Amino acid sequence: MKKILLLIAAIVITASSASAIKYKGYGEVNGGAFIPGSYYGTGGMIGISTSHGVEIIDGLFAGAGIDANYVTYTEPGHGKYSVDESDYAGNFAIFAEARYNFLRKRRVSPFVGMRLGGGYEGVEEQGCFYFSPAVGVTINITKRFGLDASLAYSLWNGSDKDNDYGYNSDFSKSFHGVSVRFGVHF
């Protein structure tokens, strides 16, 4: 185990000393639809995210970040005369991100991105797997600064045990989001 950690440290130090590798950061806000599945009703979501890492080669970013979202949804009422109630929760994820800009030397460049990680899903209050691909466009204002806009899908998938009425049962819930992200890169 120590040898593996030393090897990884040596690779990181060697790679970071290369002149082609540059620091890059992203900050984004998002808004869109939150689709919690068959039991709950659709709602909305707003959030912020940031990721920081390195540009390995021109246009290829690899890094890590955090994503925090406030979500609203409708929870069905129980009983004969019940009324559906609006509710809210928070979703939080820590992720690794890869992003590739196709035309990096141009002022306007399309990109694709992928986030994978884990976090906390607040509707069912459980830990979850986080997956979020995105497609978008970058507008480069200077060599190091620009604006980004993208269309993203997000999945929070968790599983837990339920102990209702003395019966234990495993369950898995998937929560989905479709959002528009606006941000800056530096």
Side-chain angles (χ1 to χ4, degrees), residues 117-179:
Y120 175 78
E121 175 276 304
V123 177
E124 289 291 336
E125 299 176 352
Q126 63 190 358
C128 66
F129 167 74
Y130 175 73
F131 168 75
S132 183
V135 295
V137 64
T138 294
I139 300 171
N140 295 305
I141 296 173
T142 68
K143 207 172 191 180
R144 298 278 305 150
F145 179 79
L147 304 174
D148 301 306
S150 63
L151 179 62
Y153 165 78
S154 298
L155 168 71
W156 296 272
N157 187 14
S159 61
D160 204 353
K161 290 187 180 275
D162 198 2
N163 189 3
D164 283 340
Y165 308 108
Y167 296 101
N168 288 328
S169 62
D170 294 336
F171 67 90
S172 177
K173 293 275 185 167
S174 294
F175 299 91
H176 311 272
V178 177
S179 62

Side-chain angles (χ1 to χ4, degrees), residues 74-151:
T74 304
E75 187 167 357
H78 302 286
K80 186 175 180 180
Y81 301 105
S82 65
V83 177
D84 292 350
E85 295 181 15
S86 294
D87 209 349
Y88 59 90
N91 291 348
F92 178 80
I94 298 173
F95 58 83
E97 180 175 24
R99 188 184 290 214
Y100 184 72
N101 282 328
F102 292 101
L103 306 171
R104 184 67 182 118
K105 301 288 184 189
R106 305 278 175 123
R107 186 161 189 80
V108 177
S109 170
F111 72 86
V112 293
M114 175 70 68
R115 294 176 175 178
L116 291 172
Y120 175 78
E121 175 276 304
V123 177
E124 289 291 336
E125 299 176 352
Q126 63 190 358
C128 66
F129 167 74
Y130 175 73
F131 168 75
S132 183
V135 295
V137 64
T138 294
I139 300 171
N140 295 305
I141 296 173
T142 68
K143 207 172 191 180
R144 298 278 305 150
F145 179 79
L147 304 174
D148 301 306
S150 63
L151 179 62

Side-chain angles (χ1 to χ4, degrees), residues 25-100:
Y26 292 90
E28 296 176 321
V29 296
N30 73 65
F34 181 66
I35 308 158
S38 60
Y39 179 73
Y40 302 103
T42 301
M45 71 180 205
I46 58 171
I48 59 171
S49 64
T50 184
S51 60
H52 303 271
V54 294
E55 194 169 68
I56 299 169
I57 58 172
D58 224 12
L60 180 61
F61 168 80
I66 58 172
D67 187 6
N69 291 282
Y70 173 80
V71 298
T72 61
Y73 59 95
T74 304
E75 187 167 357
H78 302 286
K80 186 175 180 180
Y81 301 105
S82 65
V83 177
D84 292 350
E85 295 181 15
S86 294
D87 209 349
Y88 59 90
N91 291 348
F92 178 80
I94 298 173
F95 58 83
E97 180 175 24
R99 188 184 290 214
Y100 184 72

